[in-house]
Amino acid sequence: TGRGSDQVYNLNFTWPDEEWRTVFRDLRFRQALSLALDRQDINDVVYYGNSFNRQYTVIPTSRHFRPEYETAYAEMDVERANALLDEMGLEWNSAKTHRLWPVSKTPIIIPFDTVELATPVMPIHELVNEHWQRIGIETQVKSITRNLLSQKILANEEPLSLWRGDESSDILFL
């Protein structure tokens, strides 16, 4: 279809809670989330092996395409993801089921809303959540209307958002 990605997760860098915002802004956190994804699992389960595993970037026919963009942190490496979170000081709880926020020491559980789109959002997200749980990060998603989601995002009431990756052509890249 020319899409660069079926789903794009966006952490809210302006989230009102300073502890969450600091973690979200740390590049290592985002790299760890990406490394924890088993893109081949998603490809096999949702797309019957017909997708191409890559990072969200411009399509290969774009003049802005660089191979390193599509492969950056796109290989599943749970060990490396955990090492990045350890480096950040995000400790495990005693049961080793969740990472803990660095100050409040409560489990990292990120609730957010999404809108049901034409693509299989929920099946993909269920797999993503399973993958992230291997590194101690849990999400809880709820499906709401597009109008309400737009209002909540504009009001800075969503710590994480999920949307379909648009066609990644030269025009949209810039």
Side-chain angles (χ1 to χ4, degrees):
T1 66
R3 293 191 183 279
S5 177
D6 201 37
Q7 288 184 192
V8 179
Y9 289 83
N10 299 294
L11 291 163
N12 183 348
F13 289 179
T14 63
W15 187 242
D17 184 292
E18 183 178 349
E19 180 177 32
W20 288 38
R21 189 174 60 245
T22 299
V23 169
F24 290 168
R25 288 181 176 179
D26 192 314
L27 180 60
R28 296 169 295 182
F29 186 73
R30 300 188 309 277
Q31 290 169 340
L33 292 178
S34 185
L35 289 166
L37 291 178
D38 186 343
R39 288 169 173 83
Q40 189 60 50
D41 182 37
I42 295 168
N43 185 357
D44 292 341
V45 171
V46 180
Y47 300 106
Y48 308 104
N50 292 313
S51 182
F52 181 72
N53 302 332
R54 65 192 298 248
Q55 197 64 271
Y56 180 54
T57 185
V58 292
I59 57 177
T61 57
S62 167
R63 64 187 162 133
H64 302 291
F65 177 79
R66 303 288 180 276
E68 60 270 21
Y69 295 167
E70 76 174 357
T71 59
Y73 302 93
E75 290 295 320
M76 184 185 72
D77 189 339
V78 174
E79 186 176 318
R80 186 170 170 207
N82 275 312
L84 288 167
L85 298 177
D86 290 342
E87 186 179 301
M88 288 178 64
L90 299 178
E91 302 167 356
W92 286 95
N93 64 0
S94 59
K96 202 165 181 183
T97 58
H98 289 86
R99 294 283 181 158
L100 303 175
W101 293 107
V103 177
S104 64
K105 301 297 183 190
T106 57
I108 297 180
I109 301 173
I110 306 170
F112 73 102
D113 302 309
T114 190
V115 62
E116 194 68 47
L117 302 172
T119 58
V121 170
M122 295 311 283
I124 294 173
H125 181 68
E126 288 171 10
L127 293 170
V128 168
N129 193 49
E130 284 179 24
H131 302 162
W132 285 350
Q133 284 179 342
R134 292 185 297 214
I135 60 169
I137 309 298
E138 180 182 343
T139 60
Q140 296 173 341
V141 64
K142 181 176 66 173
S143 190
I144 61 175
T145 66
R146 183 175 182 168
N147 286 342
L148 179 57
L149 180 61
S150 295
Q151 291 172 11
K152 289 183 75 171
I153 289 172
L154 290 173
N156 203 22
E157 296 174 351
E158 289 290 333
L160 174 70
S161 62
L162 168 63
W163 199 252
R164 162 177 267 172
D166 290 318
E167 287 79 6
S168 301
S169 63
D170 290 345
I171 296 168
L172 291 174
F173 181 71
L174 297 175

